[in-house]
Amino acid sequence: MKRPFTIERDQLDGVIAVLRVAERRSFRAAAEELGVSPSAISQTIRGLEARLGVALLTRTTRRVGLTEAGQRFVDRARPAVAGILAAFDAAQSLGEEVTGLLRLNMPRALVPFLAEPILVEFRAAHPALQIEIFADDGLANIVAEGFDAGIRLGELVEADMVAVRLTPPFKFAVVGAPGYFARHGRPQRPEDLHRHACIGTRHTPQGPIYRWEFVDGNRAFDMAVAGPVIVNSGGLNLMAAELGIGLAYTAAPAVQEQVAAGVLEPVLEAFCPGTPGLFLYYPSRAQALPKLRAFVQFVHDKLRPGTTAYIGTRG
């Protein structure tokens, strides 16, 4: 018969430690984030593993990974811990001082544009607030992973979230360098892309290569593309296109300067779909938190449509 598992304070410390190591894949990085030594965090996790009677992490000289039991543990523990942290935030919200940690999740392509106003202007207005910006193209569940808010395309925001518009609607584009078209010609229809070099993008290390999306009249469809290069960055995507390596799929506003300068040229414009735009989104229950209210007000004042060109690539 399995003996009952009782919760003690050090076990809760172990849960936090496992979650941080699982996220960072590094004892040292997790230790720095928690403000303890790597040996202390390792000892805490070993104590939890001993109490559970099962290994949660695999350790080698080169990397840290999760065992099957560890993955199950993290999947269950992460939303529970997020709920506990939300409870602390809810209690603190009775005060009006903007303090604590504000965790934001956004696509990598937006970080170069949004980081400066957030870290300089917003941080200066609220010096007691700590800000974490997490660059992520994997469509994270912000509630389960403990984020206060995220930024993504409007059609990808869950229906139960509060959404604040960041940009006007815009279209996507397929672009290439003039030299590429001189060598290979121009595709006339999406199906012609099978004869062209297309720059692939992958959201996560183990994820599939992004399928390019098109419309033909009332029909929407996507298609697999192939080419010599695969990237996970909007900047690399456009760099490869500008070098003439292949065609890139991107947000049209992200390449408007290159198109105007003749560095890149659009094709298949009649087949490229539109999107409602980029939105800041967050769970409705978080609206009472002073830190989030302050950030939403900052978005309204500083990052409203027409005042910013903060649009990244879909890939």
Side-chain angles (χ1 to χ4, degrees), residues 1-303:
M1 179 177 172
K2 184 186 298 185
R3 65 185 179 85
F5 185 88
T6 57
I7 297 295
E8 299 177 4
R9 179 177 177 179
D10 60 340
Q11 263 55 66
L12 294 178
D13 293 339
V15 172
I16 298 292
V18 169
L19 292 178
R20 290 297 180 265
V21 171
E23 290 171 1
R24 302 295 182 256
R25 289 297 193 267
S26 164
F27 279 87
R28 182 172 299 279
E32 290 177 357
E33 184 175 329
L34 294 174
V36 299
S37 67
S39 60
I41 204 169
S42 179
Q43 183 178 357
T44 298
I45 291 174
R46 288 187 186 279
L48 178 61
E49 290 176 322
R51 188 168 174 81
L52 288 171
V54 63
L56 301 175
L57 300 173
T58 59
R59 306 162 175 85
T60 69
T61 56
R62 303 184 65 177
R63 68 183 298 274
V64 179
L66 290 169
T67 64
E68 182 180 357
Q71 187 63 61
R72 290 187 180 185
F73 182 87
V74 166
D75 290 344
R76 294 291 186 91
R78 183 182 283 128
V81 170
I84 292 173
L85 295 177
F88 279 103
D89 282 340
Q92 290 177 334
S93 70
L94 293 176
E96 288 302 315
E97 186 179 2
V98 180
T99 61
L101 172 64
L102 179 69
R103 302 189 71 217
L104 304 174
N105 182 290
M106 65 181 69
R108 287 183 178 89
L110 296 184
V111 172
F113 304 104
L114 288 176
E116 183 175 344
I118 291 174
L119 296 179
V120 176
E121 297 181 50
F122 183 64
R123 178 72 179 79
H126 305 287
L129 184 67
Q130 184 181 23
I131 300 170
E132 177 180 350
I133 297 176
F134 192 84
D136 176 26
D137 293 329
L139 300 181
N141 182 324
I142 63 169
V143 175
E145 298 190 24
F147 292 101
D148 295 292
I151 296 173
R152 71 174 56 159
L153 294 169
E155 65 266 33
L156 302 177
V157 175
E158 292 91 339
D160 60 347
M161 293 285 173
V162 178
V164 178
R165 179 177 291 280
L166 285 179
T167 73
F170 57 86
K171 290 190 67 174
F172 289 92
V174 177
V175 295
Y180 175 89
F181 293 128
R183 295 190 304 272
H184 303 287
R186 295 170 175 269
Q188 300 301 312
R189 295 188 55 82
E191 293 80 6
D192 297 340
L193 293 173
H194 294 305
R195 299 191 296 274
H196 285 266
C198 298
I199 301 161
T201 55
R202 198 191 302 270
H203 293 301
T204 60
Q206 286 78 42
I209 296 175
Y210 174 70
R211 295 172 63 91
W212 291 10
E213 298 176 49
F214 296 102
V215 292
D216 188 358
N218 293 325
R219 181 174 72 97
F221 62 99
D222 58 61
M223 57 185 294
V225 297
V229 174
I230 300 171
V231 301
N232 74 332
S233 158
L236 288 174
N237 185 35
L238 297 186
M239 181 197 305
E242 290 174 17
L243 291 172
I245 292 172
L247 304 180
Y249 189 96
T250 183
V255 289
Q256 59 189 5
E257 292 183 5
Q258 294 93 323
V259 170
V263 176
L264 292 172
E265 298 176 357
V267 293
L268 303 177
E269 293 175 276
F271 300 96
C272 290
T275 172
L278 286 166
F279 288 77
L280 170 75
Y281 68 102
Y282 51 89
S284 58
R285 63 177 173 77
Q287 291 183 86
L289 303 179
K291 62 182 180 181
L292 189 55
R293 289 205 309 271
F295 186 68
V296 171
Q297 188 62 52
F298 173 78
V299 167
H300 275 279
D301 294 342
K302 297 290 184 180
L303 307 179

